[in-house]
Amino acid sequence: TIDSTLVGEEVFNAVVAEYKGKPVLVDFWATWCPPCRAAMKTIIPVKEALAEEVSFVYITGPSSPEDTWKEMIKEIHGDHYYVTEAQWNTLLDQFESQGIPTYIIVDKEGNVMNKYIGFPGEETIKAELETLKASQLEMLEKSSGLTVEEAKAQLISQVETEAKHDAVAKLKEIE
């Protein structure tokens, strides 16, 4: 649950903060929205394929009767947030959304990478989430053509070099 006293961008930040380290698909929806529910069914294979590596978050507000929402979310795998009217309006304004469903894609560090007003399609969502779930090592391996071991050695070397530069800079400050 989200603290009902949170306002502005604090609301979204509080939601995504819980998922640092994993990409997140945030779905703004309502119980009365047929396109929202249809998209949720369409995306089930993506959720099943990426369940271990991606977090799926659903946010709705008071236009969805709370009892109906509680019943519906039993069948929708992911994490669910029921926000206040003010928070709902703030979130939609924050992402310049005039309607639902609205999707926000967030990277492992909590940065908003993309938004879609309306369902962009299963393949679009899957491709973006697949890209974000790749680790730094996997990305380096793919972009450089190195083996995993070579990429790992290169990353270690980069970290060691950065550490040496930091140490030298600190020594110069002390002198």
Side-chain angles (χ1 to χ4, degrees), residues 27-152:
D27 180 344
F28 293 92
W29 72 291
T31 58
W32 49 262
C33 171
C36 299
R37 295 192 318 268
M40 286 177 186
K41 288 180 182 163
T42 302
I43 205 168
I44 288 172
V46 173
K47 289 173 65 176
E48 289 172 350
L50 301 176
E52 297 298 315
E53 302 144 314
V54 175
S55 295
F56 295 88
V57 174
Y58 298 88
I59 300 175
T60 196
S63 72
S64 294
E66 194 166 1
D67 290 339
T68 304
W69 171 77
K70 285 179 182 176
E71 280 303 308
M72 289 180 78
I73 66 173
K74 292 175 185 176
E75 302 297 319
I76 304 167
H77 300 289
D79 295 330
H80 298 271
Y81 297 90
Y82 192 91
V83 296
T84 68
E85 183 76 24
Q87 289 172 330
W88 177 256
N89 291 333
T90 296
L91 287 165
L92 293 181
D93 288 347
Q94 179 179 350
F95 295 107
E96 300 172 346
S97 175
Q98 295 79 37
I100 52 173
T102 292
Y103 302 89
I104 308 298
I105 296 180
V106 180
D107 71 8
K108 295 177 183 183
E109 288 78 42
N111 302 306
V112 172
M113 302 305 291
N114 214 337
K115 76 170 181 180
Y116 298 98
I117 299 170
F119 185 57
E122 171 187 355
E123 290 305 314
T124 298
I125 295 286
K126 184 176 182 180
E128 281 206 52
L129 294 173
E130 287 275 355
T131 300
L132 292 177
K133 77 177 181 90
S135 70
Q136 183 180 4
L137 181 60
E138 291 167 325
M139 289 169 47
L140 182 60
E141 179 186 9
K142 286 178 184 173
S143 67
S144 67
L146 300 173
T147 66
V148 173
E149 289 305 314
E150 292 168 331
K152 197 180 291 183

